[in-house]
Amino acid sequence: MDPLDELYQELILDHHKNPRCQGCLQHPSGSAKLYNPLCGDQIALGVSVKNDKIEDIAFTGQGCSISQSSASMMAEFLKGKTVDEARGALDLYVGMLKGTRNPDECDALGDLVALAGVRKHSARIRCAMLAWEALEQCLNKS
Ligand code: ZN
């Protein structure tokens, strides 16, 4: 295995074992609960937006390591970002998974680039997208 892949693998496992931003927000400005029937993954995401900024974000869920670690990485990445930055990251992330953008164009996504390898496994793309689909719904509601 390529040493970079190994590093990415570790990062994904670490987020799966110790998910960040776990829980339910008391008064989210947007929330969404999504289910991926292909794999059995569940994500319930809450986002609290104030002055166009993601002040707080938290999720609960269960499912495969890709779905849960991508949610954890996403939440950690987005906390404190503006709504525009979050939408930009969503766009970049979707492009990365669909293969319309190269991972080296996606430096702005930080650690989330670790999930670029998922695009080689089309059955897992939905797993890696679930949290972000929930995010889109949260932002559209808030
Ligand atoms: Zn999954």
Side-chain angles (χ1 to χ4, degrees):
M1 206 197 281
D2 178 305
L4 198 60
D5 280 351
E6 222 165 293
L7 180 78
Y8 284 164
Q9 206 73 35
E10 269 175 39
L11 198 62
I12 291 168
L13 284 175
D14 179 53
H15 275 269
H16 185 223
K17 269 193 259 169
N18 306 298
R20 326 294 201 266
C21 308
Q22 281 280 287
C24 297
L25 299 181
Q26 289 274 307
H27 304 287
S29 37
S31 64
K33 199 172 183 177
L34 291 185
Y35 175 61
N36 171 17
L38 296 175
C39 182
D41 309 315
Q42 290 177 37
I43 299 278
L45 183 75
V47 175
S48 175
V49 175
K50 231 178 221 170
N51 303 321
D52 277 327
K53 213 170 177 182
I54 297 180
E55 204 181 52
D56 211 355
I57 179 166
F59 79 101
T60 57
Q62 56 188 39
C64 70
S65 59
I66 297 290
S67 68
Q68 301 307 304
S69 58
S70 64
S72 169
M73 289 167 112
M74 178 193 81
E76 188 175 52
F77 178 81
L78 292 176
K79 203 165 175 173
K81 297 268 194 298
T82 65
V83 170
D84 278 353
E85 286 169 336
R87 288 191 192 280
L90 171 69
D91 192 53
L92 210 52
Y93 184 81
V94 172
M96 179 178 82
L97 287 184
K98 293 201 169 151
T100 55
R101 284 179 195 266
N102 287 320
D104 57 357
E105 285 179 83
C106 301
D107 283 349
L109 292 174
D111 285 354
L112 287 160
V113 172
L115 292 156
V118 173
R119 71 161 131 189
K120 292 179 224 148
H121 311 276
S122 58
R124 309 308 295 283
I125 291 177
R126 191 76 216 283
C127 304
M129 280 300 305
L130 198 64
W132 290 82
E133 286 171 18
L135 170 76
E136 197 173 19
Q137 291 190 11
C138 288
L139 293 181
N140 290 343
K141 275 185 232 166
S142 64

